Amino acid sequence: MTATLFQATPDVIKPYALMDLDDTLFQTQRKIDAWNLPTAESANLVYATVNKQGEPLSFMSQRQSSLFNWLLSSTELIAVTARDRSEVQRVKLPFDSWQVLTHGAIILTPDGELLNTWQQHMHIALAPLQDKLNQLSQLFANHSQNDSSQLIFTPHTDGFHKHLNHKDAEKETLIIYLAIKHAKKNHQALVELAEQLPKLIRDFDRDFYVHVNANNLAILPHAVHKRHAVQFLLENHLDDQRPSFGFGDSLADLPFLQLLDWYGAPNHGQLHDNISSL
């Protein structure tokens, strides 16, 4: 064996910290109350996001704020989030490294630019599914217009270049995934809807998967996943000699977390609840 004895050194190598955002680093006041989070008295709260009107919407407790401050100073912090490019603009926290957005469909470079190779890859994957995504969009748009419907439907789109040289390439707006919320936050109604989805369109399971967490239902192409984007970063852009760890609150976070050296979850939320039930 050629192993050596550990010796402390002042040359600290910052690990990568790949972090989900909503309900991991911050959450709404409603969830703060539901989870009875410590150090979350009004005087200790720090707002992390704003709504479309610019008003504070999600907050960090004192402990969460301290954790985030430590992450900023001690790691290279990479956001990995379901938020799209417009939604992440409402997160008022400083990020200066890579960002994985829209469930993994979008990767931003540390300069805030779209990663062109990933853009082309996603265009190839998403373009053939546009007809089916448009069919589903029309179905849910019609349903949500029904006065008795409690569903709030949102298609998430972005522009994708067909070729690597984005300056000269045509940019095409594609639907990435479909999101549905319940106006009265009826989680069970979303679970029941998820069970019915495979009956709505032919070969649904072949092309799509469904994720339900709290008051969020997402219909996603199999090509769109945080794990795929994180794996691409790890293999092509991040230093494989540097350690990595991460946190996420959702079952949908687990596949990307399992790519890392260490991972964990907050002591609340979907992933924690499922671990506790084992």
Side-chain angles (χ1 to χ4, degrees):
M1 289 186 64
T2 59
T4 59
L5 184 67
F6 172 79
Q7 292 184 335
T9 171
D11 299 324
V12 176
I13 298 174
K14 284 188 175 184
Y16 296 110
L18 289 87
M19 309 294 292
D20 174 57
L21 301 182
D22 291 84
D23 299 337
T24 298
L25 289 176
F26 50 76
Q27 58 285 305
T28 62
Q29 183 67 58
R30 181 178 65 86
K31 291 182 178 179
I32 288 174
D33 296 338
W35 291 327
N36 193 27
L37 294 186
T39 68
E41 298 81 7
S42 296
N44 293 327
L45 290 179
V46 175
Y47 78 85
T49 77
V50 297
N51 61 20
K52 292 180 180 180
Q53 291 72 46
E55 304 161 333
L57 179 63
S58 298
F59 306 88
M60 294 188 291
S61 68
Q62 181 178 337
R63 288 185 187 176
Q64 288 173 323
S65 180
S66 295
L67 172 66
F68 183 71
N69 192 59
W70 172 75
L71 290 169
L72 284 178
S73 61
S74 304
T75 73
E76 182 170 343
L77 182 58
I78 298 174
V80 183
T81 177
R83 286 178 176 254
D84 62 27
R85 283 201 288 165
S86 62
E87 292 168 337
V88 83
Q89 293 299 315
R90 298 198 290 273
V91 178
K92 301 304 179 182
L93 299 176
F95 294 104
D96 58 6
S97 183
W98 299 90
Q99 295 182 57
V100 174
L101 309 179
T102 325
H103 286 284
I106 300 293
I107 299 177
L108 298 184
T109 70
D111 295 328
E113 301 295 326
L114 289 164
L115 182 59
N116 295 327
T117 50
W118 190 248
Q119 279 262 290
Q120 185 186 40
H121 169 76
M122 290 309 304
H123 184 279
I124 292 170
L126 289 173
L129 296 175
Q130 292 304 294
D131 285 346
K132 288 187 176 181
L133 284 165
N134 276 305
Q135 288 177 37
L136 286 167
S137 295
Q138 189 60 52
L139 181 69
F140 288 115
N142 292 339
H143 188 71
S144 63
Q145 290 173 3
N146 188 328
D147 291 338
S148 63
S149 172
Q150 299 292 320
L151 299 180
I152 303 170
F153 166 73
T154 306
H156 288 260
T157 65
D158 210 316
F160 292 86
H161 293 285
K162 298 180 181 180
H163 307 288
L164 287 178
N165 184 4
H166 68 91
K167 291 181 179 179
D168 300 323
E170 178 185 354
K171 195 172 186 180
E172 185 176 3
T173 297
L174 300 178
I175 300 173
I176 299 172
Y177 79 99
L178 310 177
I180 300 172
K181 294 179 180 287
H182 195 278
K184 294 186 177 180
K185 297 180 172 56
N186 186 335
H187 173 73
Q188 187 56 36
L190 294 181
V191 171
E192 293 172 2
L193 173 61
E195 294 172 351
Q196 297 298 314
L197 287 173
K199 303 175 184 177
L200 297 180
I201 194 168
R202 190 175 65 179
D203 297 327
F204 181 91
D205 290 334
R206 186 189 69 185
D207 296 318
F208 305 103
Y209 69 101
V210 179
H211 171 60
V212 183
N213 184 17
N215 193 39
N216 297 286
L217 184 155
I219 303 170
L220 302 115
H222 289 296
V224 178
H225 204 295
K226 292 178 180 179
R227 178 184 174 92
H228 302 329
V230 168
Q231 186 166 15
F232 185 84
L233 280 182
L234 289 169
E235 293 177 351
N236 296 281
H237 294 281
L238 304 186
D239 182 353
D240 63 5
Q241 298 301 304
R242 291 169 63 179
S244 63
F245 71 93
F247 290 99
D249 74 287
S250 166
L251 289 173
D253 293 322
L254 187 57
F256 97 76
L257 293 172
Q258 290 175 324
L259 296 171
L260 310 178
D261 297 312
W262 298 272
Y263 65 88
N267 65 352
H268 52 264
Q270 187 183 48
L271 184 52
H272 170 75
D273 291 345
N274 276 265
I275 292 171
S276 299
S277 67
L278 293 177

